[in-house]
Amino acid sequence: MRIKVDENGNWRSFRHRNFRILYPANAMSNIGTWAQRVAQDWLVLELTDNNGFYLGLVTAIQFAPVLLFSLQGGAMADRIDKRKLLIWTNIVAALACYALGILVVTEVIQLWHVFVCAAVLGISSALDAPIRQSFTAEIVGHSDVANAVSLNSANFNAGRLVGPALSGFLIARFDTGPSFLINATTYLFVIASLFFMRSSDFFIQKKEETLGTIREGLRYAKARPDLYVVMALVFFAATFGLNFQIFNALMASKEFGKGPAEFGLLGTYIAVGSLTGALLSARLERFRDAKLVMRLGVWFSIVVIVLSVMPTYTWYSLWLPVCGISALTMLISANSYVQVNSDPAVRGRVMGIYLLVFMGGTPVGSLLIGYLTEVLGTRETIALCGGFSLLMCVLIWVFFNDKVERPADLRVSSVLGK
């Protein structure tokens, strides 16, 4: 039965059968992902006696593969069947999560086990992300890409609304093992949904013949000031400001003296704002341009600075939804702008570059933040991260505000002058 959805409404991506199939599977996977993030952070704190450096280190290990594999993932997305690639990346991720869960349940877990599983999951995610991002256009078509990005972000953050609280509850009663096993199982639903998609419903755009190389993708992004300015701003905001998992873990355990249940709730509080921001972004679609992203980056940085001075657990919790709104409106605007305004022939490689920039600074940033929390203190580190992000966003705004107009012709041949 065909579902009637307003073709101009905020839910229009649900007109497409393949989107409807994948969306609920992703919803379960997102809940599992957030449950695992809370469990992994808490497990590291348990194994290291609340050491912030090791918490930053495991985050760095999980995101380090982005530096090595995201560009390759983008290049693969432009050349190989995206659905088959996603099936394999989800299989690898599921195996890594099952391994970690079993090690915890059997009480043989050691810190190096966490590092190895985080690295494997990181490699899978680094390849998966640019493929999945560019796959969106094939599922809903070019005209609905921006709407689908907003709805997918809402989905991701709805998982954030449930996952951390669920994980906190499970950790308090059964330790961290069940959270890892639940997350591993949710990958199976995504794999099944990919198998059930109908190939005839994909939107395969006719593409210009290109070299298909990573270098060509880099040249395309470099020749587009509107794209590389957005990417630069996202780099600084994400590397230094978007570290709420580390901030929350250390504020809950060290600053406020709370347990795993209260820590899990902090993730739920920020998810309230993130989900609101994702739904709000669907209404901002016609205003999205590079200048909007710059303004949102400044707002986000200021919000992070304010977070550092929240005096109590209650006030800290109440401010987290504001952090979620500011972060998601910025990130969705940046992500959808880059996707919609890239030539389909090179979109996978451009998204690989975007995700390299977005997550590539996390390994170094996480290590630095973990170190600074031990040397300066948690509050001081949050304020410093927000302040540096603000400085860089303002400088980008000042120097590039008049250089980020979208070109009339997005084709590779036109941009690169072939």
Side-chain angles (χ1 to χ4, degrees):
M1 184 177 70
R2 187 176 180 85
I3 295 178
K4 292 184 178 180
V5 180
D6 184 357
E7 64 180 18
N8 297 313
N10 290 337
W11 310 96
R12 63 183 181 273
S13 293
F14 284 102
R15 293 179 298 150
H16 309 289
R17 175 184 178 274
N18 288 339
F19 188 82
R20 295 196 302 271
I21 290 175
L22 186 60
Y23 200 81
N26 279 339
M28 288 185 284
S29 182
N30 289 330
I31 291 173
T33 295
W34 284 109
Q36 166 146 339
R37 287 191 181 187
V38 170
Q40 180 174 286
D41 288 347
W42 199 259
L43 177 61
V44 171
L45 291 175
E46 284 183 332
L47 294 174
T48 63
D49 195 25
N50 291 333
N51 190 296
F53 173 76
Y54 285 106
L55 185 61
L57 179 59
V58 74
T59 304
I61 290 172
Q62 187 161 334
F63 283 92
V66 171
L67 299 172
L68 303 174
F69 298 106
S70 64
L71 294 181
Q72 284 75 11
M76 291 167 65
D78 285 334
R79 297 197 304 264
I80 305 174
D81 186 318
K82 297 178 182 63
R83 178 166 56 165
K84 292 180 180 178
L85 291 172
L86 290 173
I87 289 171
W88 281 108
T89 57
N90 278 274
I91 289 173
V92 172
L95 292 174
C97 297
Y98 271 127
L100 191 56
I102 292 170
L103 288 169
V104 174
V105 170
T106 55
E107 299 183 353
V108 296
I109 189 69
Q110 297 181 37
L111 187 61
W112 71 268
H113 294 147
V114 183
F115 291 161
V116 171
C117 290
V120 173
L121 189 60
I123 293 171
S124 171
S125 298
L127 292 171
D128 177 276
I131 299 168
R132 177 166 33 85
Q133 296 276 356
S134 57
F135 190 43
T136 302
E138 293 187 8
I139 296 175
V140 301
H142 180 75
S143 61
D144 289 338
V145 168
N147 178 255
V149 169
S150 295
L151 293 177
N152 284 334
S153 295
N155 190 335
F156 183 70
N157 287 284
R160 193 175 193 172
L161 195 64
V162 178
L166 173 64
S167 190
F169 172 83
L170 292 173
I171 293 169
R173 286 157 180 78
F174 309 108
D175 203 6
T176 54
S179 295
F180 299 123
L181 296 176
I182 288 172
N183 184 38
T185 303
T186 63
Y187 283 108
L188 303 183
F189 291 97
V190 176
I191 294 168
S193 70
L194 290 167
F195 274 112
F196 278 108
M197 283 184 169
R198 199 156 56 200
S199 299
S200 59
D201 288 345
F202 287 140
F203 292 83
I204 307 299
Q205 293 178 273
K206 186 177 180 181
K207 299 178 182 179
E208 184 180 42
E209 285 293 326
T210 66
L211 298 176
T213 62
I214 293 174
R215 183 180 178 183
E216 184 180 49
L218 290 168
R219 288 179 59 218
Y220 182 85
K222 184 179 178 182
R224 293 278 306 276
D226 57 323
L227 295 185
Y228 69 67
V229 164
V230 167
M231 293 181 186
L233 186 138
V234 166
F235 171 80
F236 290 110
T239 301
F240 297 98
L242 204 66
N243 290 284
F244 295 117
Q245 280 299 110
I246 297 177
F247 296 158
N248 289 350
L250 294 174
M251 288 295 285
S253 61
K254 286 189 172 185
E255 193 72 21
F256 302 126
K258 302 295 184 179
E262 291 87 352
F263 168 44
L265 283 173
L266 292 181
T268 299
Y269 297 144
I270 196 171
V272 171
S274 298
L275 180 58
T276 303
L279 295 174
L280 176 64
S281 292
R283 296 183 174 273
L284 296 176
E285 187 177 325
R286 66 181 182 275
F287 302 111
R288 286 178 191 158
D289 58 18
K291 293 182 180 180
L292 175 64
V293 177
M294 290 190 285
R295 291 192 291 270
L296 292 174
V298 171
W299 175 41
F300 167 72
S301 302
I302 294 171
V303 167
V304 172
I305 295 172
V306 175
L307 181 69
S308 69
V309 299
M310 292 294 107
T312 65
Y313 177 85
T314 300
W315 280 106
Y316 186 89
S317 301
L318 291 173
W319 191 249
L320 283 176
V322 181
C323 296
I325 292 174
S326 62
L328 261 293
T329 51
M330 174 190 67
L331 293 176
I332 291 174
S333 295
N335 185 304
S336 59
Y337 181 82
V338 172
Q339 282 206 59
V340 171
N341 294 289
S342 297
D343 183 349
V346 77
R347 182 177 289 138
R349 281 165 285 172
V350 171
M351 292 311 300
I353 297 167
Y354 174 83
L355 291 163
L356 171 63
V357 171
F358 174 39
M359 296 187 290
T362 301
V364 176
S366 298
L367 280 174
L368 178 61
I369 290 167
Y371 171 77
L372 289 176
T373 58
E374 294 296 313
V375 175
L376 301 178
T378 304
R379 289 185 181 277
E380 292 80 2
T381 300
I382 296 174
L384 185 63
C385 288
F388 187 72
S389 175
L390 176 61
L391 173 63
M392 299 311 298
C393 288
V394 169
L395 289 176
I396 290 171
W397 192 350
V398 169
F399 287 103
F400 292 98
N401 189 50
D402 59 346
K403 302 176 183 178
V404 291
E405 293 299 324
R406 174 186 178 277
D409 190 343
L410 302 179
R411 291 177 301 166
V412 173
S413 58
S414 176
V415 171
L416 298 183
K418 291 184 177 181

